[in-house]
Amino acid sequence: MQKINAEVVSQEKIGTDIYSMWIKAEEMVSCARPGQFVSLYCRDGAKLLPRPISICEIAKEQGALRIVYRVAGKGTEEFSAYKAGENVSVMGPLGNGFPLKEGRAILIGGGIGIPPMLELARQLTGQKQIVLGYRDSHMFLKEEFEAYGSVHVATEDGSAGTKGNVLDAIRTEGLQADVIYACGPTPMLKAIQAYAAESGTEAWISLEERMACGVGACLACVCKSKEKDEHTNVNNKRICKDGPVFRAEEVTL
Ligand SMILES: Cc1cc2nc3c(=O)[nH]c(=O)nc-3n(C[C@H](O)[C@H](O)[C@H](O)COP(=O)(O)OP(=O)(O)OC[C@H]3O[C@@H](n4cnc5c(N)ncnc54)[C@H](O)[C@@H]3O)c2cc1C
Ligand code: FES
C-alpha cells in the first residue's frame, strides 16, 4: 500500500453522473487485485478524509488503474472535473479483494457496485454468468462485461431485462453456479446472503461503509461478524482492512 501522486490518463462521462477515470499508478498495478479499492484525496484541504473507490480495471502493461464512480457529493464532484494530465493524490491498493475460485461463477453487481466486478470478470477463468442490476435502462459498463461472459440484466422499472432485482433475474433465468461474487447496496447483499445459505452456494460479498482512515486504524467502518476480531477482541470486522470482501456467512448485515 502506498500513497502516490498519480497522473490522470483520461476521464470520461459514461452515464448520468457516472465517470470513468484511468490513472497512472505503476507502483500499484503489480499488487492490485479485483475487489480492492483506492482512496482518493481531494485538493480542497477542508475535506481531509480520502474517498474510497473500487478498482474497476487493472492494466498492468500500461501501469494504469481504472475507477468508475458516481458523483455523490463534493469529493466525487471535484474528481469528475479532473482532466487528463492533472494529478490526483491516491493511496492503495487497499483491502483484501476477491479470491479467484475455480468452477462456474455468478458475478452480481448492483448500481455503483457494478464497477469492481469488471476486473473480476476479466481474471476469473471458469464459466461466468454476470448479473447487473440497474434502476432503469440507463445502463453503464454492460457492453464491456459482454466480452467475459453471459450478461443478464435486472431493472427496477422493467425497462430492460428482468423487472425487479438481481435475484429475480437469477431465479427467472434459472442461473446456477459453484460460487457467487457480489457487490452492491446492503439490502441486495443481505438477500444474496440468504439465497447463498438456502441454496448451499459459496458466496463472497463486498461491503461498503463510510470510512475515515481507510487503513484499519480508526474503527469507523466496522460491521458485525460471527468471529471475534483479533484487533479489538469483539465481534467486529473492519471493512477497510479485513474486507471489503467477506465470505457471506462471516458477517451480519
Ligand atoms: C470500499 C468502498 C468502495 C467504493 N467504491 C465505489 C466505487 O467504485 N464507485 C463509487 O461511485 N463509489 C464507491 N464508493 C462510495 C464512495 O466512497 C462515496 O460515494 C464517496 O466517498 C462519496 O464522497 P463525496 O465527497 O462525493 O460525498 P459526501 O459528501 O462524503 O457524501 C455524499 C453522500 O454519499 C454518501 N456516502 C459517502 N460515503 C459513502 C460510502 N462509503 N458508502 C455509501 N455512501 C456513502 C453520504 O452518506 C452522502 O449521502 C465506495 C465506498 C467504499 C467504502
Ligand atoms: S476506516 Fe478506519 S478502520 Fe476502517
Side-chain angles (χ1 to χ4, degrees):
M1 183 259 288
Q2 354 197 356
K3 188 173 172 193
I4 61 163
N5 219 8
E7 185 186 330
V8 175
V9 178
S10 64
Q11 165 107 272
E12 193 192 347
K13 189 171 184 186
I14 60 166
T16 312
D17 291 331
I18 311 269
Y19 290 80
S20 164
M21 189 199 285
W22 279 98
I23 55 169
K24 199 90 183 155
E26 268 148 2
E27 304 84 340
M28 294 183 191
V29 289
S30 57
C31 55
R33 294 195 304 274
Q36 287 190 298
F37 65 96
V38 290
S39 273
L40 269 68
Y41 289 81
C42 300
R43 289 181 192 147
D44 174 356
K47 296 191 279 295
L48 285 178
L49 297 176
R51 273 41 181 182
I53 307 284
S54 304
I55 294 171
C56 171
E57 273 192 271
I58 305 164
K60 283 208 170 127
E61 285 182 11
Q62 290 80 14
L65 293 178
R66 183 187 190 188
I67 54 170
V68 168
Y69 59 96
R70 173 177 282 144
V71 172
K74 287 274 178 340
T76 42
E77 191 181 346
E78 181 188 310
F79 306 145
S80 70
Y82 293 178
K83 303 273 182 293
E86 291 185 36
N87 281 342
V88 53
S89 182
V90 185
M91 183 165 61
L94 299 167
N96 56 358
F98 288 110
L100 301 176
K101 298 281 182 165
E102 311 261 306
R104 294 168 310 159
I106 301 180
L107 285 70
I108 307 171
I112 205 60
I114 290 173
M117 309 317 284
L118 189 61
E119 182 62 27
L120 180 65
R122 212 173 64 76
Q123 291 199 18
L124 284 173
T125 52
Q127 189 203 72
K128 285 158 276 191
Q129 301 162 96
I130 299 153
V131 185
L132 305 177
Y134 299 96
R135 273 187 211 139
D136 53 34
S137 58
H138 294 101
M139 297 179 274
F140 57 92
L141 297 179
K142 177 177 167 281
E143 283 81 18
E144 297 187 48
F145 277 99
E146 281 163 359
Y148 304 115
S150 61
V151 175
H152 308 267
V153 165
T155 53
E156 285 169 25
D157 68 356
S159 55
T162 303
K163 183 175 189 325
N165 60 32
V166 289
L167 275 177
D168 294 322
I170 288 174
R171 292 198 171 104
T172 308
E173 313 232 2
L175 306 184
Q176 287 183 342
D178 304 306
V179 58
I180 294 174
Y181 298 96
C183 183
T186 305
M188 176 192 113
L189 297 180
K190 211 170 169 166
I192 289 166
Q193 203 182 32
Y195 174 79
E198 266 164 39
S199 62
T201 314
E202 177 179 341
W204 296 86
I205 56 177
S206 180
L207 308 192
E208 222 186 73
E209 186 49 85
R210 295 216 66 161
M211 287 183 182
C213 72
V215 292
C218 72
L219 307 183
C221 65
V222 292
C223 66
K224 291 249 166 289
S225 63
K226 297 255 159 67
E227 313 259 301
K228 281 199 173 25
D229 174 39
E230 312 169 347
H231 187 74
T232 56
N233 202 31
V234 287
N235 291 71
N236 276 346
K237 293 272 180 201
R238 293 160 297 166
I239 292 177
C240 67
K241 182 87 178 169
D242 308 314
V245 177
F246 295 94
R247 184 106 189 216
E249 63 270 23
E250 216 183 320
V251 286
T252 311
L253 297 175

